[in-house]
Amino acid sequence: MKDRLVEFAANARKAAHELPPGVRRDEALRKARQADAAAHIDAWVNSSGLQTPK
């Protein structure tokens, strides 16, 4: 899942840079940031360092 999120973010960022400044570009950049955040959260949740509450 993380790889798909990272790939989606990269594609959205690339598409945004090809667009002129405006609403569509802002939306693409927002989606890229959200995908980056989701990838980081996924990595954190699935890390081996997490321990169950005691």
Side-chain angles (χ1 to χ4, degrees):
M1 175 131 190
K2 179 184 174 204
D3 294 334
R4 285 190 340 200
L5 290 169
V6 170
E7 184 177 343
F8 177 83
N11 290 337
R13 196 168 284 108
K14 181 181 177 201
H17 290 296
E18 294 173 357
L19 293 170
V23 174
R24 290 180 61 203
R25 181 180 181 151
D26 292 343
E27 181 70 16
L29 289 172
R30 185 181 66 80
K31 286 182 180 182
R33 285 192 303 271
Q34 286 178 335
D36 282 335
H40 286 286
I41 290 169
D42 183 64
W44 176 72
V45 167
N46 292 314
S47 71
S48 60
L50 283 179
Q51 298 178 3
T52 57
K54 296 180 182 181

